[in-house]
Amino acid sequence: TRALDILEYFALVGRPLRAVEIAQALDFHASSTDQLLKTLVESAYLMFDAGNKLYYPSPRLVNFGSWLATNYFGDNRICRLMQAVHQDTGDIVTLSIRYGTAMQIVDFVEPLARAGTIVKGSRVPITESIIGTAFLALHSDKEVIRIVDQVSAETGQKLSVAELRELLERVSEARSRGYESARPSTIGA
């Protein structure tokens, strides 16, 4: 996964990088970083400019994502939509999927002032997060209760009647609005 971390860091910064920058940013040892970069260059995922000691993502990476864009909502529409919502609201916007008892953050757009708040791949509880509430709002109350029961069975944490009632109210409000809004102290905003 460290090689993928390097590629994701290139995507984040959007510019060529030196090995030392990558090592510092990702908190990798210099020798490990050098070996990973060498492997990525040898397999043509990165290019290396020896004169400037800069690494660049190679065109080979373009093919990895190009077919995905058409399979997920066509072209780059979902990313453009996330950017538009972020620009309109100034809030963090996430693209998340259900992952067992949690919601996993696949992608996000965040304000520069809050950069680093969220990490791609991180997970937040379905029943205790803004992202989870938004997901549950796509389901009927009966399905929400079924999902909550599944989560309880897998985690051993059962919601009280009052907590379930509160969750169903939040889900109903989100369903009525068509979205769930961030609450400042809640992870998964």
Side-chain angles (χ1 to χ4, degrees):
T1 63
R2 292 189 307 158
L4 294 175
D5 291 338
I6 290 173
L7 297 177
E8 287 206 353
Y9 187 62
F10 273 103
L12 177 69
V13 298
R15 64 178 174 80
L17 296 166
R18 288 186 161 73
V20 67
E21 292 177 280
I22 295 166
Q24 288 173 348
L26 300 176
D27 197 27
F28 292 170
H29 291 287
S31 60
S32 299
T33 304
D34 288 338
Q35 186 58 47
L36 283 165
L37 291 170
K38 180 181 176 187
T39 301
L40 288 167
V41 168
E42 287 173 355
S43 50
Y45 292 111
L46 293 180
M47 300 179 298
F48 181 61
D49 175 355
N52 293 312
K53 297 187 178 182
L54 288 172
Y55 291 88
Y56 297 79
S58 93
R60 180 175 183 192
L61 292 171
V62 174
N63 293 328
F64 279 88
S66 63
W67 69 276
L68 290 174
T70 56
N71 287 337
Y72 292 107
F73 313 108
D75 298 329
N76 201 19
R77 240 181 289 170
I78 194 71
C79 292
R80 289 193 313 266
L81 176 61
M82 290 171 61
Q83 283 289 344
V85 171
H86 168 68
Q87 287 175 345
D88 287 350
T89 65
D91 289 333
I92 296 170
V93 178
T94 65
L95 174 63
S96 307
I97 58 171
R98 182 175 178 188
Y99 188 89
T101 63
M103 296 300 296
Q104 185 171 36
I105 298 170
V106 175
D107 201 1
F108 62 90
V109 181
E110 66 183 339
L112 287 176
R114 295 191 62 194
T117 305
I118 299 176
V119 176
K120 287 181 186 174
S122 59
R123 297 181 192 129
V124 294
I126 289 177
T127 59
E128 301 170 29
S129 66
I130 302 300
I131 295 169
T133 302
F135 168 76
L136 294 171
L138 299 171
H139 299 82
S140 69
D141 283 353
K142 184 176 179 179
E143 290 170 316
V144 170
I145 292 169
R146 183 183 55 75
I147 291 168
V148 168
D149 287 345
Q150 286 176 340
V151 170
S152 295
E154 289 181 39
T155 64
Q157 298 173 334
K158 187 164 176 64
L159 294 181
S160 69
V161 173
E163 290 170 326
L164 179 58
R165 187 177 307 118
E166 182 184 321
L167 175 63
L168 289 172
E169 286 175 20
R170 285 196 323 264
V171 167
S172 178
E173 290 169 7
R175 195 180 293 131
S176 295
R177 278 191 305 269
Y179 64 92
E180 178 61 318
S181 61
R183 292 172 178 67
S185 63
T186 307
I187 190 167

